Amino acid sequence: MARSLDDDAPRRTSDADDQLSAEQRQAEADEHASLRELRRKVRQTERDLVRRRRRVRTVGVALTVAGGAVLTGLLWTVLAWGSPSRFLRVDITCAALALVSGAVAWVAAPPRGRPSLAKLEDMLATNREALRFLSALIHPTLKERRSLYREDVAGVIEQHRTDSRRYRLIHNVLQNLRSCFRGRGL
């Protein structure tokens, strides 16, 4: 069958290719935009998590100091009960320290409407997993792959450091117990 002169198949084919490549470019641009947005969310969640941990640690230290001040004041009062002039100065100092520490704990306490520490950790883990999956689908550049590798390695290294500290503490406690019992002849 002979081709007619008014058949524009090559033009239609090139138009279809152009439209397909335009759709592919748009889809790729959308994927990159969602990847950037997800990276931004991960960074923001990491910052929120660091802030929340710092607040929780500050509240814990402040409450410990307040409790220690109250206990010190009570113990000093019991020990120096016979002379009020001796225990009154220490009690006033301990009460002031307890009040200041309590105020610091109250101010540093995390706001009630915000997600909890565990929820932030879960959100971060979920977003990191989604980021990893989306990054693997897009075929990232060498720079992006190195960045992803550094992020993954940083988490693994931090986990190993945490485990190492815990095991070192357990080892040191057991070594001290062993030396105490050995010194007593047990």
Side-chain angles (χ1 to χ4, degrees):
M1 177 171 196
R3 221 169 107 180
S4 76
L5 294 176
D6 57 341
D7 185 17
D8 61 344
R11 184 186 58 79
R12 285 183 294 156
T13 304
S14 70
D15 288 346
D17 287 341
D18 290 343
Q19 183 178 4
L20 183 60
S21 64
E23 289 173 359
Q24 287 174 342
R25 283 192 303 270
Q26 182 61 37
E28 190 173 305
D30 290 343
E31 286 176 348
H32 283 293
S34 63
L35 183 64
R36 279 192 303 274
E37 178 64 24
L38 196 53
R39 282 187 183 140
R40 188 195 62 77
K41 281 183 182 178
V42 166
R43 283 192 306 269
Q44 182 63 39
T45 308
E46 286 172 345
R47 283 192 297 269
D48 291 345
L49 189 60
V50 166
R51 280 189 210 111
R52 178 58 59 94
R53 284 182 178 155
R54 190 178 304 131
R55 281 180 168 234
V56 167
R57 192 171 37 246
T58 302
V59 168
V61 168
L63 290 177
T64 302
V65 168
V70 168
L71 287 176
T72 302
L74 289 174
L75 183 64
W76 187 259
T77 302
V78 169
L79 291 176
W81 185 252
S83 62
S85 62
R86 277 185 65 200
F87 72 79
L88 198 55
R89 279 183 295 192
V90 174
D91 283 348
I92 290 173
T93 305
C94 288
L97 183 61
L99 284 174
V100 168
S101 297
V104 167
W106 185 69
V107 168
R112 294 206 182 256
R114 302 277 172 93
S116 67
L117 187 63
K119 181 128 175 127
L120 281 173
E121 289 172 347
D122 289 343
M123 284 172 38
L124 181 62
T126 303
N127 285 343
R128 279 184 178 164
E129 192 63 33
L131 179 64
R132 185 165 204 37
F133 181 74
L134 189 59
S135 294
L137 288 178
I138 292 180
H139 303 292
T141 64
L142 181 61
K143 183 178 178 181
E144 291 172 344
R145 285 187 300 214
R146 285 181 179 162
S147 173
L148 288 171
Y149 174 75
R150 287 186 186 116
E151 289 173 6
D152 290 345
V153 167
V156 170
I157 289 172
E158 185 58 36
Q159 182 64 40
H160 285 302
R161 284 181 182 158
T162 303
D163 292 345
S164 172
R165 275 186 233 118
R166 189 179 84 218
Y167 291 133
R168 190 178 315 119
L169 176 69
I170 292 170
H171 174 76
N172 290 340
V173 167
L174 292 176
Q175 287 294 329
N176 288 334
L177 287 174
R178 181 177 170 203
S179 66
C180 287
F181 288 129
R182 194 177 273 176
R184 292 184 179 178
L186 296 175

